């Protein structure tokens, strides 16, 4: 297989710094997919993530901000 097409094993990343870096990268991709879904289907999309430290990360499309 070519680089980038290998499946990774889904398991907890032990090192906190590496886990935070992976979270930062993946959340951008997740929010981008939520945006694309809302545009392509003209639907309202909201993503709410509670991080391990209890803080929230949210992505609301269009006018869902007051609800969140």
């Amino acid at each position: 297989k070519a680089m980038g097409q290998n499946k990774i094993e889904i398991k907890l990343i032990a090192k906190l710094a590496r886990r935070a870096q992976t979270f930062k990268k993946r959340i951008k991709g997740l929010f981008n997919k939520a945006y694309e879904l809302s545009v392509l289907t003209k639907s309202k999309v909201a993503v709410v993530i509670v991080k391990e430290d209890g803080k929230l990360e949210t992505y609301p499309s269009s006018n869902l901000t007051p609800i969140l």
Side-chain angles (χ1 to χ4, degrees):
K1 289 185 174 184
M3 291 280 293
Q5 294 183 2
N6 297 330
K7 287 205 172 226
I8 60 166
E9 184 181 344
I10 302 299
K11 63 180 180 178
L12 179 64
I13 299 171
K15 293 184 179 180
L16 184 60
R18 194 158 162 242
R19 188 166 55 230
Q21 181 183 21
T22 300
F23 179 84
K24 188 176 177 181
K25 287 180 184 178
R26 293 206 173 223
I27 199 167
K28 284 182 185 178
L30 178 63
F31 287 172
N32 187 41
K33 290 291 183 182
Y35 167 75
E36 290 174 0
L37 178 64
S38 69
V39 170
L40 291 172
T41 62
K42 202 173 182 179
S43 59
K44 296 178 182 175
V45 177
V47 178
V48 178
I49 299 172
V50 181
K51 298 192 304 186
E52 64 184 335
D53 61 2
K55 294 181 182 175
L56 292 177
E57 293 284 341
T58 60
Y59 167 79
S61 65
S62 66
N63 60 358
L64 290 176
T65 305
I67 295 170
L68 296 174

